[in-house]
Amino acid sequence: MVCNLKNGSCSKCGGCCSNILPLTDNEKNKIKKIIKKRKLKPSYHIPLNGFDMTCPMLDSNSRCRIYEDRQNICRVYRCDKSIEQGAVEFYRSLTAKAKPVIMRDLFNE
């Protein structure tokens, strides 16, 4: 997917939503509990080269099914902004205790 900005603002298209995200252990556990409690199944979208790299939390309309409970990186990431001074350091500090997680794997744990 490609981001679809509207006048420089996020259109909530899901184009930035990836299957691999930096999560802390707490975030990972929280999402696994949400999956179990809501009995969520992973969503699938049109694969790129045979691999679906979109977040499995997106519904068929590319809307996040756990939006209110989404992880930190999803709360602060802005695809419509150029990298400004301090942004790289901010993301590094946010993800310092996070590890890359394949979101689809959370459905099987």
Side-chain angles (χ1 to χ4, degrees):
M1 275 190 194
V2 176
C3 294
N4 182 17
L5 301 178
K6 290 182 180 177
N7 300 321
S9 296
C10 181
S11 66
K12 299 180 182 171
C13 67
C16 298
C17 304
S18 175
N19 183 39
I20 302 173
L21 294 172
L23 300 180
T24 64
D25 287 339
N26 287 340
E27 289 175 314
K28 184 177 172 181
N29 292 331
K30 178 181 174 184
I31 292 172
K32 288 189 323 188
K33 286 179 185 176
I34 290 168
I35 289 169
K36 187 174 183 176
K37 181 179 180 183
R38 298 182 192 172
K39 299 179 182 172
L40 296 175
K41 301 291 181 204
S43 301
Y44 292 92
H45 301 85
I46 297 171
L48 176 66
N49 298 325
F51 297 101
D52 186 353
M53 293 304 295
T54 59
C55 181
M57 298 300 172
L58 296 176
D59 66 16
S60 60
N61 295 315
S62 296
R63 301 286 185 230
C64 182
R65 297 183 291 162
I66 62 165
Y67 188 81
E68 290 78 22
D69 300 306
R70 70 196 183 279
Q71 51 279 4
N72 287 331
I73 194 68
C74 297
R75 290 179 185 278
V76 300
Y77 182 78
R78 299 290 181 261
C79 64
D80 58 335
K81 303 287 183 193
S82 60
I83 299 206
E84 299 167 358
Q85 183 65 30
V88 172
E89 291 80 13
F90 174 72
Y91 283 118
R92 281 188 185 143
S93 68
L94 179 68
T95 61
K97 294 181 180 178
K99 299 174 210 150
V101 171
I102 299 172
M103 296 296 287
R104 292 190 188 286
D105 289 351
L106 298 179
F107 289 87
N108 300 319
E109 291 185 11

